[in-house]
């Protein structure tokens, strides 16, 4: 992979940030500060390199923390320096041509940021190259959706379906790369020297867009589709959507940008347009392209399968509908929208926080059949015609949704006013579930689930009392019973294993392959008695 972008004729700017407060930094007219909800607000302007250097300088501590959180996940997969060295060679070979598919503008921006990355992972890849790798990591996570790292759900509504007839869009971004990865979240406001001003909700060091809106009220959000494991990296999908956000003001312009880029995973891009008062889905994959628009309706739903005619006969897409949880989340969203006529931002937040299944079935907490899987990096709500956006605060999408008016934010930043920008009067309060015993139990369940899985792997003993109390933390979730069944199976206590596997089957099991897996475990246990 090429070491660096072309910087011919570009002057480097002063990159020494000035600390204005405990969690407030300035660099020229660029700034980074933390609001009262624990979210960072970043403003950058200028040419690509200037923006990158400003992002890197202002957020240098966050960059290193995020890099450590992401790279630390490697330890889950490799145990030795030799294995890491081999993995580094594999990643280098896989990403060998990615730079050919990334616009020079974004390579310059990434390069500027990478000047402030650590050198802790130089043996794996130098900072700039590693930064490019990490912009493709989101795509790899989507490509590995068979392992279900993602399961996003989004919707758009307008005309008779919203309180004021205006376009309203809501989405959950269910990308998970560990709890530490989700700790530092950034609301980014970009004022580039070319294209349109825009905002994105993201994480440190990442310039791609997974959720964003520009000054013309054009929005983008992405949902993973069913992908083959790609053989070579091309354009990361988040850089395609970033380009749309920066350079499109209509759905037609968005389609034109998406068409000219080669991607290496399958993805649905929901594009909302304030000018057209509608939303569409651009469905891209390495060998296909489709656009889906609703007919005779003012409501659009997206989970993790394609809906355009271009994918009507696609076997992978059909498999996703049949064998994953995408269709059930789609159906649940349809139910919730039908129940909530005259949508407004508060109702949208309640939908994004919904934890039940189709027909209000109890799923247990953390089930991927739910709109709210208690896993999300964030939830976000747009009112494009008014240039308003609400972003969730931690944890998941349960914290308060903080509101911003894009027109006001950019006017103030450009005039040199860098005070905190959220609008308190439009705040959507935190979910009461956060203060419940059930939520505390769920967080403890997550912790103990990891511990039990580790002990199963290490073939360590677990007391019966511990296993019973573990299930009681999340008694409606099938996986709680499954893991206890796995423990007893490993301990050759097949009768108890059968009991727990059967209990798991009595709950709402996430996918058809999960049901088949449990049935096979039961049959195997009977054979061993």
């Amino acid at each position: 992979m090429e070491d660096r972008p072309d910087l011919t004729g570009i002057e480097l700017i002063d990159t020494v940030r000035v600390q204005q407060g405990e969690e407030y930094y300035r660099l020229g007219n660029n700034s980074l500060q933390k609001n009262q909800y624990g979210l960072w607000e970043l403003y950058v302007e200028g040419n690509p390199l200037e923006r990158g250097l400003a992002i890197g300088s202002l957020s240098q501590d966050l960059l290193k923390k995020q890099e450590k959180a992401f790279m630390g996940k490697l330890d889950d997969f490799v145990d030795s320096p030799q294995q890491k060295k081999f993995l580094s060679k594999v990643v280098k070979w896989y990403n060998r041509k990615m730079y050919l598919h990334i616009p020079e503008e974004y390579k310059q921006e990434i390069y500027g940021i990478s000047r402030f990355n650590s050198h802790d992972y130089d043996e794996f890849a130098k900072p700039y190259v590693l930064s490019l790798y990490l912009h493709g990591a989101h795509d790899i996570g989507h490509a590995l959706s068979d392992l279900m790292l993602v399961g996003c759900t989004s919707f758009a509504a307008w005309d008779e379906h919203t309180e004021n007839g205006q376009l309203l869009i809501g989405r959950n971004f269910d990308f998970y790369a560990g709890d530490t990865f989700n700790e530092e979240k950034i609301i980014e406001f970009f004022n580039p020297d070319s294209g349109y001003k825009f905002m994105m909700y993201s994480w440190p060091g990442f310039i791609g867009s997974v959720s964003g809106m520009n000054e013309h009220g054009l929005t983008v959000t992405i949902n993973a589709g069913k992908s083959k494991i790609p053989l070579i990296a091309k354009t990361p999908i988040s850089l395609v959507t970033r380009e749309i956000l920066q350079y499109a003001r209509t759905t037609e312009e968005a389609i034109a940008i998406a068409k000219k880029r080669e991607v290496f995973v399958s993805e649905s891009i929901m594009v909302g347009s304030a000018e057209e008062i509608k939303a569409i889905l651009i469905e891209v994959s390495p060998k296909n392209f489709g656009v889906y628009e609703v007919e005779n309706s003012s409501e659009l739903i997206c989970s993790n399968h394609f809906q355009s005619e271009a994918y009507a006969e696609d076997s992978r897409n059909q498999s996703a509908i049949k064998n994953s949880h995408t269709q059930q989340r789609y159906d649940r969203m349809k139910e919730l929208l039908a129940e909530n006529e005259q949508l407004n931002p508060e109702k949208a937040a309640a939908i994004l926080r919904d934890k039940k299944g189709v027909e209000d079935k109890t799923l247990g907490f953390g089930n991927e059949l739910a709109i709210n899987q208690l896993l999300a990096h964030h939830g976000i709500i747009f009112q494009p015609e008014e240039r308003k956006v609400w972003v969730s605060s931690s944890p998941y999408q349960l914290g308060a949704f903080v509101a911003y008016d894009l027109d006001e934010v950019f006017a103030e930043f450009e005039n040199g006013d860098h005070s905190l920008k959220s609008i308190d009067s439009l705040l959507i309060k935190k979910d009461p579930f956060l203060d419940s015993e059930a939520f505390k139990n769920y967080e403890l369940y997550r912790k103990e689930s990891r511990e039990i899985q580790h002990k199963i792997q290490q073939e360590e003993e677990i007391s019966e009392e511990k296993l019973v109390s573990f299930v009681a933390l999340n008694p409606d979730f099938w996986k709680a019973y499954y893991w206890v069944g796995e423990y007893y199976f490993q301990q050759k206590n097949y009768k108890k294993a059968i009991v727990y596997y059967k209990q798991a089957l009595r709950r709402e099991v996430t996918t058809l392959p999960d049901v088949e897996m449990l049935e096979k475990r039961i049959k195997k246990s009977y054979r061993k008695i």
Side-chain angles (χ1 to χ4, degrees):
M1 180 181 284
E2 199 172 74
D3 283 339
R4 54 183 286 174
D6 181 10
L7 302 177
T8 305
I10 299 175
E11 294 184 13
L12 295 180
I13 62 169
D14 177 25
T15 59
V16 180
R17 68 182 184 180
V18 177
Q19 188 161 0
Q20 303 282 324
E22 186 178 351
E23 293 177 312
Y24 177 24
Y25 301 92
R26 292 284 299 273
L27 176 60
N29 199 38
N30 306 286
S31 65
L32 175 72
Q33 57 188 319
K34 187 181 255 188
N35 67 24
Q36 68 190 85
Y37 304 99
L39 307 176
W40 293 95
E41 298 173 346
L42 172 74
Y43 171 78
V44 293
E45 61 184 28
N47 66 43
L49 184 60
E50 289 172 341
R51 298 194 303 265
L53 290 169
I55 293 168
S57 176
L58 291 167
S59 61
Q60 56 193 265
D61 308 311
L62 304 179
L63 287 177
K64 292 177 176 68
K65 179 179 178 180
Q66 203 73 6
E67 182 184 64
K68 184 177 180 181
F70 210 105
M71 294 302 292
K73 295 299 287 182
L74 287 179
D75 294 332
D76 296 339
F77 302 104
V78 293
D79 299 321
S80 68
Q82 291 79 13
Q83 287 177 317
K84 283 187 180 179
K85 190 173 183 179
F86 174 73
L87 181 60
S88 172
K89 290 180 178 178
V90 170
V91 171
K92 183 178 181 180
W93 179 85
Y94 177 77
N95 289 289
R96 65 195 182 279
K97 293 186 178 180
M98 182 194 284
Y99 73 94
L100 297 172
H101 297 272
I102 296 178
E104 195 67 26
E105 174 180 5
Y106 299 145
K107 286 193 285 188
Q108 291 176 6
E109 197 171 300
I110 291 169
Y111 178 80
I113 295 171
S114 73
R115 297 303 85 197
F116 296 88
N117 282 11
S118 76
H119 288 273
D120 294 346
Y121 307 99
D122 280 5
E123 287 189 8
F124 189 87
K126 299 295 184 184
Y128 170 64
V129 174
L130 182 59
S131 292
L132 287 180
Y133 289 172
L134 294 180
H135 278 80
H138 170 79
D139 300 64
I140 299 302
H142 279 195
L144 297 177
S145 57
D146 289 331
L147 305 180
M148 283 328 294
L149 299 175
V150 289
C152 309
T153 317
S154 56
F155 73 89
W158 58 98
D159 290 347
E160 73 275 12
H161 291 293
T162 61
E163 191 173 68
N164 55 10
Q166 294 182 359
L167 179 61
L168 182 72
I169 296 169
R171 73 91 105 256
N172 285 336
F173 181 63
D174 291 314
F175 180 75
Y176 181 75
D179 290 347
T180 305
F181 181 85
N182 282 357
E183 286 177 359
E184 305 293 353
K185 302 175 184 180
I186 301 185
I187 308 144
E188 301 175 331
F189 300 96
F190 278 70
N191 186 359
D193 65 340
S194 62
Y196 307 125
K197 302 175 193 128
F198 59 93
M199 66 76 59
M200 307 188 300
Y201 197 18
S202 190
W203 53 87
F206 188 73
I207 70 157
S209 178
V210 296
S211 303
M213 178 169 66
N214 70 23
E215 62 179 312
H216 294 291
L218 184 117
T219 68
V220 294
T221 61
I222 56 177
N223 288 44
K226 186 76 170 179
S227 293
K228 292 175 69 174
I229 304 298
L231 297 176
I232 187 168
K234 293 186 179 178
T235 313
I237 192 69
S238 63
L239 294 182
V240 178
T241 48
R242 160 69 188 272
E243 189 175 359
I244 290 171
L245 204 56
Q246 189 173 343
Y247 291 102
R249 60 186 293 170
T250 66
T251 55
E252 284 302 313
E253 290 175 359
I255 292 167
I257 290 170
K259 270 185 177 177
K260 73 180 182 181
R261 297 297 175 197
E262 285 188 76
V263 298
F264 61 106
V265 294
S266 300
E267 200 90 18
S268 290
I269 306 170
M270 181 178 283
V271 179
S273 170
E275 293 194 7
E276 299 159 86
I277 315 177
K278 71 173 185 179
I280 67 168
L281 296 177
I282 303 174
E283 299 179 335
V284 299
S285 64
K287 294 183 179 180
N288 206 349
F289 187 96
V291 176
Y292 178 71
E293 294 192 51
V294 290
E295 296 180 6
N296 304 315
S297 177
S298 47
E299 207 170 69
L300 180 64
I301 299 170
C302 182
S303 50
N304 296 108
H305 61 270
F306 291 143
Q307 302 175 60
S308 67
E309 191 64 33
Y311 294 89
E313 305 299 324
D314 187 281
S315 59
R316 287 189 174 275
N317 192 48
Q318 295 304 315
S319 173
I321 294 171
K322 179 182 177 183
N323 294 313
S324 77
H325 39 74
T326 179
Q327 185 65 50
Q328 294 208 49
R329 280 184 289 107
Y330 180 96
D331 292 342
R332 178 58 178 168
M333 180 64 79
K334 200 168 186 178
E335 285 182 350
L336 292 169
L337 292 178
E339 292 169 7
N340 289 275
E341 286 295 323
Q342 303 297 297
L343 279 174
N344 57 27
E346 289 78 13
K347 290 180 179 179
I351 288 173
L352 296 179
R353 290 167 170 170
D354 183 72
K355 295 172 283 293
K356 292 190 174 180
V358 174
E359 297 179 348
D360 288 331
K361 288 177 182 174
T362 301
L363 302 175
F365 300 121
N367 196 321
E368 290 161 321
L369 290 171
I371 303 297
N372 176 9
Q373 302 170 23
L374 294 171
L375 181 80
H377 179 273
H378 65 258
I380 193 165
I381 300 163
F382 299 104
Q383 273 191 327
E385 290 159 82
E386 296 188 7
R387 311 301 190 261
K388 288 189 174 69
V389 57
W390 286 257
V391 299
S392 67
S393 55
S394 294
Y396 320 119
Q397 62 277 67
L398 300 177
F401 274 77
V402 186
Y404 297 86
D405 183 309
L406 227 57
D407 291 338
E408 290 182 8
V409 166
F410 279 115
E412 291 168 2
F413 273 133
E414 289 177 78
N415 290 331
D417 178 2
H418 288 255
S419 58
L420 294 171
K421 303 299 180 185
S422 61
I423 306 169
D424 290 342
S425 62
L426 295 178
L427 183 82
I428 299 174
K429 294 180 180 178
K430 69 179 183 180
D431 191 332
F433 177 67
L434 259 182
D435 297 321
S436 69
E437 197 67 27
F439 177 73
K440 293 175 187 172
N441 286 342
Y442 171 70
E443 290 292 89
L444 186 56
Y445 163 82
R446 291 180 70 235
K447 178 174 178 287
E448 291 193 6
S449 178
R450 289 191 290 265
E451 291 173 358
I452 285 174
Q453 290 174 55
H454 177 74
K455 288 186 176 183
I456 291 172
Q457 290 171 354
Q458 300 299 315
E459 298 186 1
E460 297 178 16
E461 287 194 19
I462 309 172
S463 71
E464 184 173 358
E465 181 183 18
K466 176 75 172 177
L467 294 169
V468 170
S469 66
F470 167 68
V471 169
L473 293 172
N474 201 358
D476 296 313
F477 189 30
W478 72 273
K479 277 191 177 177
Y481 300 91
Y482 165 70
W483 286 118
V484 177
E486 287 290 273
Y487 170 74
Y488 281 124
F489 186 91
Q490 183 208 71
Q491 295 292 310
K492 297 182 171 55
N493 190 337
Y494 300 114
K495 288 184 178 180
K496 280 196 173 181
I498 290 168
V499 169
Y500 280 93
Y501 289 143
K502 285 186 174 181
Q503 285 292 329
L505 276 174
R506 291 192 181 103
R507 273 70 189 173
E508 291 296 317
V509 181
T510 308
T511 67
L512 180 59
D514 288 328
V515 171
E516 292 171 348
M517 176 271 296
L518 286 168
E519 290 171 343
K520 287 177 182 177
R521 297 300 271 173
I522 290 169
K523 289 177 182 176
K524 190 171 183 179
S525 298
Y526 272 123
R527 287 198 300 268
K528 288 182 174 289
I529 292 175

